[in-house]
Amino acid sequence: MAAIVEGEGRAAASRGVAVLLPLPLERPYDYRVPDGDLPAPGALVRVPLGKRDVVGVVWGPATGEVEPARLRDVIEVLPLPPLTAELRALVDWTARYTLSPAGAVLRMALSVPSAFDAPKVPLGYRRAALPPPAGMKLTPARERVLAIASSRAVPLGELATAAQVTPSVVSALAKAGVLERAPVASGAVFAAPDWRKGGVRLTPDQRAAADSLIANANGFSVTLLDGVTGSGKTEVYFEAIAAALAAGKEAVVLLPEIALTAQWLARFQARFGVAPAEWHSDLGTALRRETWRAVAGGQARVVVGARSALFLPFPDLGLIVVDEEHDSSFKQEDGVIYNARDIAVVRGRLAQIPVVLASATPSLETVINVERGRYKRIVLPERFAGAKQPEVRIADMRIEKLPRQNFLGSALRTALGENLAAGEQSMLFLNRRGYAPLTLCRSCGHRIECRNCSTWLVEHRLVGRLLCHHCGHSEGLPIACPSCGAAESFAACGPGVERLEEEVAALLPAARLAVVTSDTVGSPAAAAEFVRQVTEREIDVLIGTQIVAKGHHFPLLTLVGIVDADLGLAGGDLRAAERTFQVLHQVAGRAGREQRPGRVIVQSYMPEHPVIAALAANDRDRFMAEEAKNREERGMPPYGRLAALIVSGPDHATVDTMASALARTAPRDDGIEVWGPAEAPLRLLRGRHRRRLLLTAARDIDVPETMRSWLARVPPMSGVRVQVDIDPYSFL
Ligand SMILES: [Zn+2]
Ligand SMILES: [Zn+2]
């Protein structure tokens, strides 16, 4: 009898599968498959969870942890292609490495609300076959509506805006039967890129580089495509994309600032005849859903996107390109904390496909991987179309006698004037949004701090408010000082881009200026409009944060002024010097990309600093060698490993208790040191008190495993969050 029951139990268990849900859960849960074939691993299934339904992914056979009789049933297997074994392995790998719940990582691969429902088609208005009724007069407004809706259905709002009429004009036409309701086509087309089309003629160097990339097309490899700004890296890796397409595979390109890719998209279109699919946070829900489905179904052959594009469900991915691989925005700092550049290499290895890392200023990590023989390197030596490298001059600001609250030295002022007179464009770089970094009371010295964070509020005159750059809190500038009551006593201290604009306007009243920050060109449309204005010479001087440094090609831009080159060098950030060099080099690379020679003026109070000196000498390799020596002496990455713990909570006493408990149980193995707990530089963020611990380890230590067993020794405390950041980039 017992044997029969046991046999039945096994039969029931064999009708089960383990399903991973896109929720912050560590492991898959078992579900029963009531009838039909068992869904294969990777299949998307709808299952009950509590009182609701969730779409998850079959992760393997049932674990048997729950008695078969208590299992709930899989509701349905969705008619979508299964996630590949390679993508499932990537989810598991990322979860293990970052110490994140596997379900939270899966969520990045399925981050598409309602992607799994049958698409709902919205209705719009289209011109009906019927002529207008006899009594109806066709006013110009009505004619405009009918013209726009003559060939396709248009949503009401869009139709009214395009025809410059009120929605009631449209409704009246519908009521009269002249317009009819019809489904609106989404407009999303995922046309296949034509890899045979061919683009610009490659120089012999570029051709050779493209050929070596193509020669790596089979199997896993990582290649650093190393070339100065304007050397044609994009055109070269386009050839690798063409090779992947020719082999019937897909390609994904990760870019750091997806908002600013209009020029990249135009080049892609020129090479392949169609636009690629895009993947970033600005996609609307419907387009996001369709794009995800088109990727899963193999129709979207090339996707360009932000870091999250890396987790898309490509059926047969053949190439991963990470452009501007050194860019720190590839590091995601919340939720699952990961570096897309590094995970791209992991996906390449799991999928056994090539990965291309492109940069003019590769990260030290990548350069050392080349030196260790783990990555290949292809160097593109010349600037495209024979343009010359710009001349770089350091302006020593210690010998300048600048008037108070002025920030442009004499060299830069003169050069700006000359450039305007010559009809050429200039760019000023200052990595500070807003008007001034600090606002303080002239009577008592009171500074306005964010109520949620331990930072000063930044005045933004464009919107007439004080903003916190960390939590987004904003408030009006008080009329009276909250501390001493003095009226209109607040003064702006230091420069922001908006203030620099004032200084340039006073210097060159005739110049047309544009401030370029995430505040002004934050959307793809605004970014495209900005690029158009510069290209069509509607702007003489650009004043911007690092957002202006990314990937643009402006032929008439011949002067770049770096207003405060020392800004990124302060502070205890491991990569501060490297990042400063990269940004400065990139900004400098904007100048004189075509036939006109470019000039760069670098304002600095410490011209002998190795970063500034290397920049003046335009000597990247010297800078990298200095930086490598520094890091090696201190056992810092890539010569050692780092992991950070960030302990935070609304109550600082419990946060301290938790941080001390972590310090007491810290690993003491050879080759490991733990620092802290220390107050985080941002000791208060969004109302949470923060403490940090930092673990440094020798290169051969399994840091994720060390962190896992460390955390397992400390029971969780309610109201306290412990975030793990493996390979941290931010030390705030
Ligand atoms: Zn005051
Ligand atoms: Zn804040």
Side-chain angles (χ1 to χ4, degrees):
M1 197 60 195
I4 293 167
V5 171
E6 202 185 308
E8 275 175 5
R10 259 205 305 276
S14 73
R15 299 270 343 129
V17 286
V19 175
L20 186 63
L21 302 174
L23 298 166
L25 302 167
E26 298 287 345
R27 294 175 304 125
Y29 287 171
D30 286 358
Y31 284 89
R32 202 175 77 98
V33 179
D35 45 40
D37 293 338
L38 280 183
L44 289 143
V45 291
R46 190 184 304 280
V47 295
L49 179 75
K51 286 183 177 147
R52 60 193 178 122
D53 296 350
V54 184
V55 171
V57 176
V58 174
W59 220 246
T63 60
E65 283 172 1
V66 178
E67 290 170 48
R70 295 181 50 207
L71 290 183
R72 299 180 73 182
D73 285 353
V74 168
I75 300 166
E76 63 167 331
V77 180
L78 299 177
L80 285 167
L83 296 198
T84 58
E86 168 251 314
L87 181 53
R88 284 179 280 128
L90 183 72
V91 169
D92 283 335
W93 194 97
T94 306
R96 196 200 84 84
Y97 190 77
T98 62
L99 278 80
S100 307
V105 181
L106 177 65
R107 189 167 170 170
M108 300 195 295
L110 302 184
S111 60
V112 267
S114 68
F116 313 110
D117 304 331
K120 274 195 223 82
V121 184
L123 292 178
Y125 291 95
R126 181 175 66 192
R127 184 166 191 165
L130 293 174
M136 186 163 208
K137 194 171 153 238
L138 280 188
T139 60
R142 286 173 173 166
E143 292 212 10
R144 285 199 300 275
V145 172
L146 292 178
I148 291 161
S150 64
S151 56
R152 63 184 185 101
V154 185
L156 174 60
E158 192 187 314
L159 183 52
T161 310
Q164 298 171 294
V165 299
T166 59
S168 63
V169 176
V170 176
S171 319
L173 284 165
K175 211 167 171 186
V178 192
L179 288 175
E180 63 184 9
R181 297 281 270 168
V184 176
S186 75
V189 276
F190 299 99
D194 178 5
W195 53 270
R196 291 185 188 83
K197 183 175 175 290
V200 295
R201 273 253 322 260
L202 300 184
T203 65
D205 282 332
Q206 292 167 346
R207 189 67 254 167
D211 288 343
S212 6
L213 278 188
I214 295 166
N216 291 334
N218 293 314
F220 170 59
S221 62
V222 184
T223 306
L224 167 63
L225 185 55
D226 180 353
V228 295
T229 314
S231 60
K233 292 186 293 291
T234 314
E235 284 73 15
V236 168
Y237 71 65
F238 278 174
E239 296 314 300
I241 294 177
L245 291 170
K249 294 166 184 274
E250 300 100 37
V252 61
V253 181
L254 305 183
L255 291 173
E257 289 284 343
I258 193 64
L260 290 174
T261 56
Q263 287 181 324
W264 191 96
L265 293 172
R267 288 154 104 180
F268 186 92
Q269 178 118 22
R271 172 62 182 84
F272 294 103
V274 298
E278 293 178 50
W279 186 260
H280 50 79
S281 54
D282 279 318
L283 291 186
T285 311
L287 189 52
R288 197 173 175 80
R289 182 180 65 215
E290 283 179 50
T291 305
W292 190 90
R293 291 176 78 107
V295 171
Q299 293 98 40
R301 317 279 310 155
V302 179
V303 177
V304 57
R307 56 190 177 225
S308 56
L310 189 59
F311 287 91
L312 282 170
F314 295 97
D316 191 9
L317 189 59
L319 175 71
I320 304 173
V321 178
V322 184
D323 203 347
E324 311 285 358
E325 67 89 27
H326 61 274
D327 198 287
S328 53
S329 72
F330 284 121
K331 184 78 195 286
Q332 171 154 306
E333 297 288 1
D334 43 40
V336 177
I337 301 179
Y338 71 99
N339 187 323
R341 192 262 322 274
D342 299 341
I343 303 288
V345 172
V346 174
R347 186 161 190 179
R349 183 163 49 73
L350 293 171
Q352 286 297 301
I353 58 170
V355 178
V356 175
L357 307 177
S359 179
T361 51
S363 63
L364 190 59
E365 277 81 357
T366 296
V367 169
I368 299 300
N369 273 322
V370 169
E371 284 175 13
R372 287 176 182 150
R374 298 176 61 191
Y375 295 179
K376 303 174 192 188
R377 181 196 324 236
I378 296 175
V379 180
L380 280 169
E382 270 175 45
R383 294 197 108 192
F384 186 56
K388 283 206 223 51
Q389 284 289 340
E391 168 211 334
V392 182
R393 255 175 68 195
I394 306 295
D396 185 345
M397 299 304 281
R398 293 170 303 193
I399 55 175
E400 289 270 350
K401 295 277 172 281
L402 281 183
R404 263 173 69 86
Q405 306 299 0
N406 272 244
F407 306 95
L408 299 175
S410 51
L412 202 42
R413 295 169 75 92
T414 310
L416 280 169
E418 289 167 359
N419 233 40
L420 182 67
E424 297 180 6
Q425 290 169 319
S426 310
M427 178 169 101
L428 296 176
F429 170 73
L430 177 66
N431 217 4
R432 268 185 173 152
R433 289 162 55 207
Y435 185 80
L438 181 68
T439 303
L440 107 177
C441 170
R442 273 183 305 241
S443 313
C444 74
H446 178 74
R447 301 160 167 207
I448 303 184
E449 195 171 340
C450 177
R451 66 169 69 148
N452 309 317
C453 311
S454 52
T455 53
W456 313 125
L457 292 181
V458 176
E459 184 182 2
H460 283 241
R461 290 214 174 155
L462 279 176
V463 291
R465 295 185 74 76
L466 297 167
L467 300 185
C468 173
H469 286 179
H470 294 283
C471 73
H473 167 73
S474 85
E475 60 188 62
L477 188 64
I479 295 160
C481 171
S483 174
C484 71
E488 292 180 6
S489 65
F490 281 103
C493 293
V497 286
E498 292 178 9
R499 183 173 223 174
L500 208 53
E501 184 192 23
E502 278 184 5
E503 191 174 336
V504 179
L507 176 71
L508 306 170
R512 296 160 300 173
L513 313 180
V515 171
V516 188
T517 68
S518 55
D519 303 311
T520 59
V521 297
S523 73
E529 171 58 14
F530 153 68
V531 170
R532 187 199 63 76
Q533 287 180 345
V534 181
T535 321
E536 295 181 11
R537 300 183 68 172
E538 291 171 18
I539 297 172
D540 300 309
V541 184
L542 311 173
I543 301 154
T545 58
Q546 62 182 354
I547 206 161
V548 294
K550 314 252 173 178
H552 293 296
H553 181 68
F554 298 135
L556 281 168
L557 184 68
T558 55
L559 171 68
V560 169
I562 295 168
V563 176
D564 184 355
D566 314 329
L567 195 55
L569 296 175
D573 181 343
L574 165 69
R575 293 180 182 80
E578 183 186 353
R579 211 174 290 158
T580 303
F581 183 81
Q582 286 159 346
V583 170
L584 298 192
H585 186 88
Q586 203 169 19
V587 174
R590 297 299 115 201
R593 296 191 63 183
E594 299 213 328
Q595 303 312 327
R596 299 152 194 266
R599 299 194 269 175
V600 179
I601 295 174
V602 179
Q603 300 195 145
S604 172
Y605 285 91
M606 39 182 177
E608 57 291 310
H609 190 288
V611 173
I612 309 294
L615 192 74
N618 208 355
D619 191 344
R620 184 190 89 187
D621 294 341
R622 188 176 99 200
F623 170 77
M624 292 304 260
E626 281 284 328
E627 184 68 10
K629 204 173 75 193
N630 265 329
R631 298 245 197 117
E632 188 165 20
E633 279 165 7
R634 294 183 295 145
M636 286 287 133
Y639 299 94
R641 296 182 190 277
L642 292 183
L645 287 181
I646 302 108
V647 186
S648 70
D651 173 49
H652 78 87
T654 41
V655 169
D656 278 335
T657 308
M658 184 61 162
S660 312
L662 283 164
R664 275 197 308 276
T665 54
R668 315 233 179 275
D669 313 59
D670 279 349
I672 292 180
E673 277 186 277
V674 173
W675 307 87
E679 227 172 42
L682 261 173
R683 65 170 197 285
L684 185 68
L685 179 66
R686 297 185 184 93
R688 300 176 73 90
H689 297 268
R690 302 166 80 244
R691 304 288 179 272
R692 295 184 67 102
L693 295 103
L694 185 69
L695 176 140
T696 63
R699 252 169 52 77
D700 55 354
I701 286 173
D702 182 345
V703 169
E705 202 43 54
T706 304
M707 300 302 281
R708 202 179 324 275
S709 51
W710 179 9
L711 292 177
R713 294 194 284 272
V714 184
M717 279 174 71
S718 81
V720 181
R721 184 164 70 209
V722 179
Q723 273 178 299
V724 185
D725 185 354
I726 305 283
D727 312 325
Y729 274 59
S730 164
F731 297 86
L732 290 176

